[in-house]
Amino acid sequence: MRKYKVDLSPGQSGNILLRSFDGHYEFILNYSTSKFRNDKISIHIREKETNLSLVRVNIDPNGFHNNSDGVIRGNRILIFSNEEFCNKNDGFTHVKAYPLPSCFTNPSDLEQVFLDFLMYINVQREGKIEFADLV
């Protein structure tokens, strides 16, 4: 059984390969933290073959995302949307941003955000993920 050590200290990033229960689909879970801030993280899951982002969480109280119908500021979740791709018509934006859902229980705790993200996307970690000690 492969285990992953996730380091969420500033300036860190990593990838974790995920498979569907039936083994037919593969996904990449990617995370990265800001080198200069300890309150900022991006976590997303993308389909391995197409590289399309399916769900992304951005914890960034100062950030924003421009949707075709307006701006979402602060912590947010971005979800794959073919409709947004058509509406935005920029040739590459396949996600639409929404305010961070309340199931993300503590946005100031990056480990909790990571765990909440795994629950949100229905990943069963079964003891395969361990966090590095934060300084």
Side-chain angles (χ1 to χ4, degrees):
M1 173 171 79
R2 184 164 185 186
K3 287 192 169 202
Y4 296 92
K5 188 157 192 153
V6 175
D7 185 352
L8 299 179
S9 57
Q12 299 301 311
S13 64
N15 293 300
I16 298 173
L17 178 66
L18 303 173
R19 287 190 180 87
S20 61
F21 283 118
D22 61 11
H24 289 100
Y25 301 98
E26 292 185 323
F27 306 91
I28 304 293
L29 186 144
N30 173 264
Y31 64 92
S32 62
T33 58
S34 171
K35 186 175 182 178
F36 304 106
R37 293 175 42 197
N38 62 1
D39 67 341
K40 187 175 175 181
I41 188 170
S42 175
I43 307 170
H44 73 273
I45 186 167
R46 56 189 162 87
E47 202 277 331
K48 185 178 177 190
E49 190 174 318
T50 63
N51 206 37
L52 287 173
S53 184
L54 303 175
V55 179
R56 182 172 82 219
V57 165
N58 284 356
I59 300 300
D60 181 3
N62 303 321
F64 65 92
H65 179 86
N66 289 315
N67 285 333
S68 61
D69 60 355
V71 177
I72 300 296
R73 297 187 185 282
N75 298 333
R76 58 207 176 275
I77 191 165
L78 297 94
I79 299 176
F80 178 86
S81 169
N82 194 53
E83 181 180 343
E84 183 69 3
F85 178 76
C86 294
N87 289 344
K88 198 141 184 195
N89 198 26
D90 62 6
F92 59 88
T93 303
H94 286 87
V95 294
K96 183 166 184 167
Y98 301 91
L100 191 67
S102 61
C103 62
F104 288 85
T105 58
N106 187 358
S108 62
D109 180 340
L110 299 187
E111 285 184 14
Q112 189 60 53
V113 169
F114 196 97
L115 293 171
D116 289 345
F117 185 78
L118 293 178
M119 292 290 289
Y120 188 85
I121 63 172
N122 198 30
V123 168
Q124 296 182 6
R125 55 189 180 113
E126 300 170 354
K128 294 180 182 178
I129 295 175
E130 174 185 323
F131 290 104
D133 293 332
L134 293 178
V135 177

